[in-house]
Amino acid sequence: MMDTLNALNPFAFAANINPAGQDHIPNNRHGIGYWLGRSVKPVIAVGTALYLAPNLVAAALGAVAIYTICVLAEKLVTNWLPNPFNRNSDSHSDGRYRFEPADASQQLRTPPEGTPDCPICLTGFDAAPAVNLTGCTNPSWLHPDCLSGHLNARIQAPVEDIELKGRGVLCPLCPSAPGEVKHVLPTNVLGKYITDPQTQQLVQDFRLAGQYRLFREDPNSRQLDSLVMKKPVCPVPECQKEHPEVNLRDQSQLRVTCDGVKAVDPGPGDSLVRCTEIFCASCQNPPHRNQTCAQADINNNQQIMDLRAKLSMYQDAKRHDNQARPCPKCDTPIIREPGGCNLIQRNGEHRIYNNAQDRGTCNHNICFECLKDWPSVYGNSGHRYFNCTDPGNRQVVYDRKIREIKAALRAAGARV
């Protein structure tokens, strides 16, 4: 579909960014869009002039004037406005980068006689195939190995925005001072010049990683390929099953339900259960329909911070067994005033006598000593308002809550 739009766009021939990651930019002068654009302007000019002019002479002069205005308007739009049909156009990079043209004839060739030495290693070519960068300020030849070395350095330590997005790397020959238009070698162009398989794989991984980063920020970006493939991995540490490859651009494939197995209480004699974790194929967070992956990461980080705070509270309560005891249901610290009874009524009149500052409303009536539900213990074996028969149970509650919070932290991808 995007190729059809590019073909019908009369201004597409001006774009010098490779659309949709193709090996070369199609020559739009042979497309229907180009000839429609060429034929429509004269028809508009002549038709408008005949309609408005009082005679044929005035119509002819008016047609020439209107045609000239159309041509100037086309050049203005072509030169100053980004191509809206070009999926790889970067509205944030307009005017900052100049892309190496993608020409179908690009390949390693033997430099002509008299070619200056390679500007990187300062040695000659000895009739060996070399790279000719025609988009440089001063077109130059260089060795493929020299270009590979430059790519390795730039890919491992990307600096420019265009490099962080995996779309290309800065040219090793052209100046890149602040404020200057920087010459960029797109990843689809680099593939024609690299002979080292390891560097070829590095460039492919570099572009794919850039696509992943871009998808996390803006899943609807025009710079994304139509296929952004990834193998989702279950985020549960005890499972980590690798699932079949999915296309991140397909909304129906973003939600992954794990069907692997995970260990319960890892250790000698552990048991295995079915993992049913549901997660996003891109970021491994829980599915987030109305958020980008970057936004989901922020929320997930906040969730981890909250869980760590709760874990610290329960660990402190277990260690010191202090008078501030967390409610097992809402995790709110509860303080019993001196002389108060064992019943902690989180949503009732009893809070007046136990802690006037406690305004919690979790509707969880518990015994302050054993942290059990009050209706289940009151009256059993002598359990009364001022007599608890199982105070040691609160340590059992603390252990259970600590295990649950640690499991939630691991599910969120945090280390415990």
Side-chain angles (χ1 to χ4, degrees):
M1 179 64 181
M2 192 59 63
D3 296 337
T4 305
L5 290 175
N6 271 321
L8 293 176
N9 177 15
F11 305 129
F13 67 89
N16 57 1
I17 303 174
N18 185 15
Q22 298 170 356
D23 289 339
H24 67 282
I25 295 179
N27 185 354
N28 288 279
R29 294 179 183 273
H30 300 292
I32 183 174
Y34 176 81
W35 293 111
L36 281 176
R38 286 293 185 182
S39 60
V40 165
K41 289 192 292 291
V43 170
I44 292 177
V46 173
T48 305
L50 289 174
Y51 179 76
L52 298 176
N55 53 60
L56 291 179
V57 175
L61 294 175
V64 173
I66 294 174
Y67 181 81
T68 303
I69 293 173
C70 290
V71 172
L72 292 176
E74 178 185 351
K75 289 185 178 297
L76 178 65
V77 172
T78 299
N79 293 330
W80 291 99
L81 295 182
N83 178 7
F85 296 100
N86 188 350
R87 228 175 43 196
N88 283 341
S89 63
D90 187 356
S91 58
H92 300 288
S93 303
D94 290 345
R96 291 194 296 164
Y97 303 111
R98 183 182 73 256
F99 289 81
E100 176 74 12
D103 187 352
S105 64
Q106 284 174 334
Q107 56 184 347
L108 295 177
R109 301 192 303 272
T110 302
E113 294 185 8
T115 299
D117 294 344
C118 173
I120 294 181
C121 64
L122 303 179
T123 60
F125 296 96
D126 298 329
V131 177
N132 180 22
L133 299 180
T134 59
C136 292
T137 306
N138 297 311
S140 304
W141 293 80
L142 63 158
H143 295 113
D145 291 343
C146 294
L147 179 60
S148 295
H150 172 73
L151 296 180
N152 277 274
R154 297 299 300 193
I155 289 175
Q156 293 176 10
V159 176
E160 287 289 326
D161 177 64
I162 202 75
E163 295 174 330
L164 292 172
K165 292 179 179 178
R167 295 184 57 206
V169 299
L170 293 189
C171 173
L173 308 178
C174 296
S176 57
E180 293 187 0
V181 178
K182 300 171 184 179
H183 181 208
V184 175
L185 308 179
T187 50
N188 63 294
V189 173
L190 293 173
K192 303 174 183 299
Y193 293 141
I194 301 171
T195 56
D196 177 27
Q198 184 176 359
T199 306
Q200 288 178 344
Q201 186 62 47
L202 183 66
V203 171
Q204 293 177 9
D205 294 343
F206 167 66
R207 175 172 176 77
L208 192 57
Q211 292 278 293
Y212 290 160
R213 284 192 293 268
L214 184 57
F215 182 86
R216 292 170 66 86
E217 298 290 337
D218 182 8
N220 299 315
S221 174
R222 291 176 178 271
Q223 301 165 28
L224 287 169
D225 294 338
S226 58
L227 294 177
V228 182
M229 307 304 294
K230 185 175 183 178
K231 288 185 176 181
V233 178
C234 178
V236 177
E238 293 81 11
C239 178
Q240 295 188 333
K241 176 183 176 179
E242 186 178 85
H243 292 260
E245 204 170 39
V246 299
N247 179 17
L248 299 183
R249 299 301 306 279
D250 185 349
Q251 287 287 335
S252 64
Q253 299 184 34
L254 280 177
R255 182 186 176 97
V256 180
T257 301
C258 185
D259 58 354
V261 293
K262 62 180 180 180
V264 179
D265 296 328
D270 59 350
S271 58
L272 299 178
V273 297
R274 180 70 61 184
C275 178
T276 58
E277 184 75 10
I278 301 176
F279 60 96
C280 169
S282 172
C283 62
Q284 296 184 319
N285 289 316
H288 45 91
R289 187 173 185 84
N290 298 320
Q291 291 180 321
T292 65
C293 292
Q295 293 169 334
D297 278 341
I298 295 175
N299 293 340
N300 190 52
N301 291 337
Q302 183 61 49
Q303 178 189 8
I304 290 175
M305 292 175 60
D306 294 341
L307 287 172
R308 288 195 183 282
K310 291 180 182 180
L311 179 63
S312 176
M313 178 179 64
Y314 277 101
Q315 289 174 333
D316 184 69
K318 175 179 172 58
R319 187 180 303 113
H320 302 292
D321 198 19
N322 48 32
Q323 290 302 308
R325 298 173 183 173
C327 170
K329 184 175 182 181
C330 65
D331 305 317
T332 302
I334 302 170
I335 299 176
R336 181 178 61 182
E337 296 293 336
C341 69
N342 291 333
L343 171 59
I344 301 298
Q345 197 168 0
R346 296 301 314 287
N347 188 26
E349 295 181 358
H350 253 89
R351 69 182 181 192
I352 300 175
Y353 306 105
N354 291 290
N355 185 9
Q357 287 75 36
D358 182 10
R359 301 299 180 187
T361 57
C362 73
N363 298 321
H364 193 199
N365 299 334
I366 60 174
C367 173
F368 184 74
E369 292 296 331
C370 62
L371 300 182
K372 291 181 179 180
D373 288 338
W374 184 262
S376 67
V377 297
Y378 179 68
N380 294 337
S381 303
H383 200 292
R384 295 291 187 269
Y385 286 101
F386 291 92
N387 179 49
C388 177
T389 58
D390 190 14
N393 182 71
R394 63 174 176 267
Q395 290 293 331
V396 176
V397 172
Y398 294 154
D399 290 336
R400 173 175 58 82
K401 294 293 292 188
I402 289 172
R403 287 197 304 271
E404 291 175 355
I405 296 173
K406 285 184 176 181
L409 281 169
R410 285 193 291 268
R415 293 184 178 182
V416 181

